[in-house]
Amino acid sequence: LSMAVFAYRVARPDGSTIHGHVEGDNESLVRAKLESQGLLVFNLHSRGAASVKTEPSWSWGKLPLEQFLVFNQELMALVKSGLPILRIWDLLIERAGHAGFQRTLRGVRDDIRGGASSSEALAKHPRYFPELYVATVKAGEQSGNLPEVLQRYVAYLKLMVGLRQKVQKAISYPIVLIGIGLAVVGFLLTYVMPTFVSVYGESAKALPWSTQVLLDVVTHAESWLLPAAAVLIGLMLGVHTYYATSAGKLAIDRLVLKLPLVGQIAVKHNTVQLARTLGTILAGGTPLVDALKGARGAVSNKWISQAMIRAVNEIREGATLADALDRPRVLPKLAIEMLSVGEETGSLDSMLRDVAEFYEADLDTRLTQLTTWIEPALLLVMGVLVGGIVIVMYLPVFQMAGTVGG
């Protein structure tokens, strides 16, 4: 069998672009082969396929963190190659898969062409480029060592992506189990129960009270189901709207920290976020006050982020980082003690890395324990619920069998 022929357009490390054709079994293998030669692939398609330029794949919502990581890896590779800055942004614009992000990159390129620095151009688009990222690029420009600064930021992003994936995985698993359980119960009540309603309809007076209650619920489901669904959706929208406000986010985030089990996980999660971000900024030579102000943006919990404002003011007045962070009582005591040791020994950035790694491992363990505990608990609840419904439905049959047997 003859291999397919693929047309490609790639960039060499020196920035020049070349077109050509290559044989291969499939597109992914050909792409891997070209990338292994140090080439940046812009376009690759089978020669029989139409060589139309593909439009960006989506344009709604924010850019996912994983996509932002890929963008920074490409930016770092292009900056290291020593290409002219405008050529770098032209190549990045071609690679962008998100229409809104692509438009933003065009705006950045135009501002740079007009004489602005990269950090100044990026600062105009906070939707896609957070304050921490702009500060990172600015530090790289001022030190003349942008590739190394970007490399540190890419390493930081990888760790944050990994952390987010762990938390999402732990949350999504129970949600899937609950969804399956509700679907099973819904199937029993909407498809199986009507059969029993028609069978037991004539002898309704002789039915056990539990079966009668279940039949009444199913019979009148249509009248209360829509209002109940409307109330539930309204409540969810209300909470979502309230959470979108500054005061609402502050109140709900504070409540989350006080919850028995979820609160501990939230505290550890935010401790990792703060330690990772602060350590990354400090390693770039940024003063502590500015670093802490920048790190606030990476902390997802508004209540903890708010506490950082007071901490910044205290450090300005001469307090140590450990004392300033200890005052609000939101971070774990052990983390504060570790930071205190780091300040005393003059190795705060490495101690922040140790704090992040320690609590990341602890968080990983807690999330594993939580999912391990939740699985059998949810299965037990669903089993009791489904089993209870089935037993209640068949109770009259058991009674009739008992009467016949008697």
Side-chain angles (χ1 to χ4, degrees):
L1 289 173
S2 61
M3 290 192 288
V5 177
F6 292 87
Y8 63 80
R9 187 166 72 88
V10 296
R12 289 197 184 104
D14 63 1
S16 59
T17 56
I18 52 172
H19 300 259
H21 296 87
V22 65
E23 287 190 344
D25 292 324
N26 58 56
E27 187 178 322
S28 59
L29 287 174
V30 172
R31 183 180 291 276
K33 182 182 175 184
L34 291 169
E35 287 176 348
S36 69
Q37 295 168 15
L39 302 169
L40 198 61
V41 180
F42 291 126
N43 209 336
L44 179 67
H45 55 265
S46 173
R47 201 162 64 172
S51 59
V52 292
K53 187 179 178 182
T54 56
E55 286 298 309
S57 53
W58 80 102
S59 63
W60 44 268
K62 287 186 176 181
L63 190 73
L65 199 58
E66 291 83 355
Q67 292 295 320
F68 192 53
L69 170 61
V70 171
F71 163 78
N72 277 288
Q73 286 173 321
E74 290 172 351
L75 174 60
M76 183 177 68
L78 291 168
V79 169
K80 277 183 177 177
S81 70
L83 287 172
I85 188 69
L86 288 174
R87 182 68 184 136
I88 288 173
W89 286 100
D90 284 338
L91 295 173
L92 289 169
I93 288 164
E94 286 189 50
R95 298 276 290 176
H98 184 289
F101 189 54
Q102 192 178 66
R103 283 193 298 272
T104 299
L105 293 183
R106 286 199 186 100
V108 170
R109 180 195 58 192
D110 293 343
D111 286 341
I112 293 170
R113 186 180 283 143
S117 67
S118 294
S119 57
E120 288 169 345
L122 293 169
K124 293 181 180 179
H125 307 280
R127 176 181 171 83
Y128 293 110
F129 304 107
E131 192 179 329
L132 169 63
Y133 182 68
V134 175
T136 300
V137 174
K138 189 174 183 179
E141 288 173 335
Q142 289 172 346
S143 64
N145 201 4
L146 188 57
E148 187 179 317
V149 171
L150 283 171
Q151 191 163 2
R152 193 159 54 236
Y153 191 82
V154 164
Y156 159 75
L157 269 185
K158 283 180 180 175
L159 293 165
M160 296 305 275
V161 167
L163 178 66
R164 179 178 287 189
Q165 286 173 343
K166 284 176 188 173
V167 174
Q168 285 176 342
K169 184 181 176 185
I171 292 170
S172 61
Y173 187 65
I175 291 172
V176 169
L177 277 180
I178 291 168
I180 293 170
L182 290 174
V184 171
V185 171
F187 173 75
L188 283 173
L189 294 180
T190 54
Y191 289 97
V192 180
M193 254 331 259
T195 308
F196 286 83
V197 171
S198 60
V199 171
Y200 297 148
E202 297 172 5
S203 57
K205 291 179 181 176
L207 292 178
W209 68 268
S210 55
T211 309
Q212 188 61 58
V213 168
L214 190 61
L215 287 177
D216 289 342
V217 167
V218 174
T219 308
H220 301 102
E222 289 182 11
S223 59
W224 60 262
L225 201 58
L226 283 175
V231 169
L232 185 63
I233 291 168
L235 190 65
M236 287 168 67
L237 286 173
V239 171
H240 184 268
T241 307
Y242 181 56
Y243 191 68
T245 65
S246 183
K249 185 167 172 53
L250 191 66
I252 293 172
D253 282 355
R254 186 182 185 184
L255 177 67
V256 166
L257 294 176
K258 291 183 176 181
L259 294 174
L261 192 62
V262 179
Q264 292 179 2
I265 290 171
V267 167
K268 288 178 171 62
H269 181 225
N270 283 275
T271 301
V272 174
Q273 286 178 325
L274 178 64
R276 281 269 180 239
T277 311
L278 191 57
T280 301
I281 302 173
L282 286 175
T286 307
L288 181 57
V289 170
D290 294 336
L292 193 57
K293 282 164 70 178
R296 276 188 61 233
V299 177
S300 55
N301 187 284
K302 179 84 172 175
W303 179 255
I304 294 178
S305 179
Q306 199 84 345
M308 299 300 105
I309 299 174
R310 294 190 291 275
V312 166
N313 294 331
E314 287 187 27
I315 291 168
R316 274 205 188 101
E317 292 167 7
T320 63
L321 176 66
D323 287 341
L325 293 179
D326 186 35
R327 210 99 55 204
R329 304 287 176 193
V330 285
L331 297 184
K333 192 69 181 170
L334 179 59
I336 301 295
E337 289 173 4
M338 289 173 76
L339 293 182
S340 181
V341 171
E343 285 182 297
E344 288 170 11
T345 56
S347 56
L348 184 57
D349 54 341
S350 62
M351 185 58 81
L352 281 162
R353 188 175 63 247
D354 292 342
V355 168
E357 287 174 358
F358 173 80
Y359 280 100
E360 201 163 44
D362 189 33
L363 184 66
D364 202 17
T365 306
R366 286 297 176 98
L367 290 173
T368 305
Q369 286 174 345
L370 187 65
T371 49
T372 305
W373 173 79
I374 279 177
E375 181 184 356
L378 283 176
L379 288 173
L380 180 65
V381 169
M382 287 191 296
V384 168
L385 192 61
V386 172
I389 290 171
V390 171
I391 289 170
V392 167
M393 286 193 301
Y394 276 97
L395 213 52
V397 177
F398 298 152
Q399 280 190 345
M400 285 168 60
T403 306
V404 173

